[in-house]
Amino acid sequence: MDATEKKRNAARASLEFIEPGTVLGVGTGSTVNCLIELLPQVRDRIERVVSSSRASTELLQAEGFEVVTLNEAGGELDLYIDGADESTKRLHLIKGGGGALTREKVLAGAARRFVCIVDDSKLVGMLGSFPLPIEVLPMAQAFVAKRLLKLRGQPVWREGFVTDNGNHILDVQDLQITNPLELENRLNQIPGVVTVGIFAQRPADILLISSDAGVRELRA
Ligand code: 5RP
């Protein structure tokens, strides 16, 4: 089975978590794009949709959904569905490969339930093989990069990329993320850091992992 088929299967499995009257948050990325294609099948169960990026908003609108802001939804979601770049069995994640990590973290925080959809290549023993995305204020980029070097990370500027919030991304290689909760906290203290791509303070609640053998579910 190819990677796209696995992503589609994970996305399909997440539809069962959409109950009648759901205020739904939609993430960003190729796995979520599969979900957006399937969402019209459960349109009657969706009360409102909030999106984590301009890219997902455009796709949702193309499927005929009216997208509202999180403020318009009252600051709360019943369910948030999104992909990830890496996940551990404890459902700690690295996100931000698509650069939408800030709005994704807000929606994950606002959601009563966060369902993460991945193919089996994303399940890891320890986070950090995937370079850790960090969204930074453009004026603080060099300063934050120096602080990251002191922590023995190798920050690489995602050149030419500007986030939906007008900021820059540093992709940090070579971090040994043995304690995701602690590192997320520590990196959040660096002035100029907008969002750290570790989702450990607010991990996923349910991880749907798609493989050749089918889709299995892990719960936090
Ligand atoms: C975007 C993200 C995505 O969830 C992550 O990059 C996974 O993307 P894909 O489903 O394309 O592998 O965090 O900011």
Side-chain angles (χ1 to χ4, degrees):
M1 197 184 294
D2 68 16
T4 306
E5 209 171 331
K6 286 183 188 173
K7 289 176 187 191
R8 205 172 287 129
N9 288 343
R12 192 175 296 109
S14 72
L15 296 180
E16 74 171 76
F17 294 91
I18 303 175
E19 292 168 354
T22 293
V23 179
L24 177 68
V26 174
T28 300
S30 56
T31 315
V32 165
N33 292 350
C34 296
L35 172 72
I36 294 172
E37 275 178 26
L38 295 168
L39 278 183
Q41 293 178 14
V42 294
R43 191 187 299 275
D44 58 332
R45 289 190 244 150
I46 300 172
E47 176 83 21
R48 297 178 118 184
V49 186
V50 178
S51 164
S52 63
S53 64
R54 288 194 190 131
S56 290
T57 298
E58 278 174 21
L59 293 174
L60 284 160
Q61 288 170 338
E63 294 292 349
F65 288 96
E66 188 200 334
V67 178
V68 300
T69 65
L70 183 60
N71 292 329
E72 286 165 335
E76 278 179 356
L77 301 172
D78 295 309
L79 175 66
Y80 179 55
I81 306 177
D82 198 358
D85 300 299
E86 285 184 345
S87 177
T88 66
K89 283 187 180 159
R90 295 186 64 190
L91 278 50
H92 293 154
L93 313 173
I94 283 186
K95 290 186 46 55
L101 63 162
T102 296
R103 296 184 189 199
E104 292 175 340
K105 206 172 239 195
V106 173
L107 296 197
R112 270 189 278 286
R113 186 180 246 186
F114 173 12
V115 173
C116 184
I117 49 177
V118 294
D119 65 77
D120 52 354
S121 68
K122 307 282 184 70
L123 193 61
V124 296
M126 182 174 74
L127 298 178
S129 297
F130 189 92
L132 175 66
I134 300 184
E135 181 165 348
V136 297
L137 289 178
M139 59 76 69
Q141 184 184 319
F143 166 71
V144 174
K146 286 206 162 146
R147 286 288 185 94
L148 293 167
L149 283 168
K150 280 190 188 156
L151 294 173
R152 299 214 174 90
Q154 294 296 324
V156 177
W157 176 35
R158 202 180 291 181
E159 207 166 343
F161 184 88
V162 177
T163 70
D164 285 355
N165 315 305
N167 295 318
H168 289 179
I169 299 273
L170 293 171
D171 292 303
V172 191
Q173 299 168 347
D174 299 339
L175 282 174
Q176 295 278 310
I177 309 182
T178 49
N179 187 337
L181 284 158
E182 196 265 332
L183 188 63
E184 184 180 4
N185 262 340
R186 197 200 287 201
L187 295 175
N188 272 331
Q189 304 311 315
I190 302 174
V193 165
V194 176
T195 301
V196 178
I198 300 174
F199 284 50
Q201 305 291 338
R202 200 300 178 226
D205 299 308
I206 295 171
L207 183 69
L208 298 176
I209 310 159
S210 178
S211 69
D212 287 334
V215 179
R216 82 185 157 105
E217 185 177 308
L218 285 183
R219 289 192 184 234

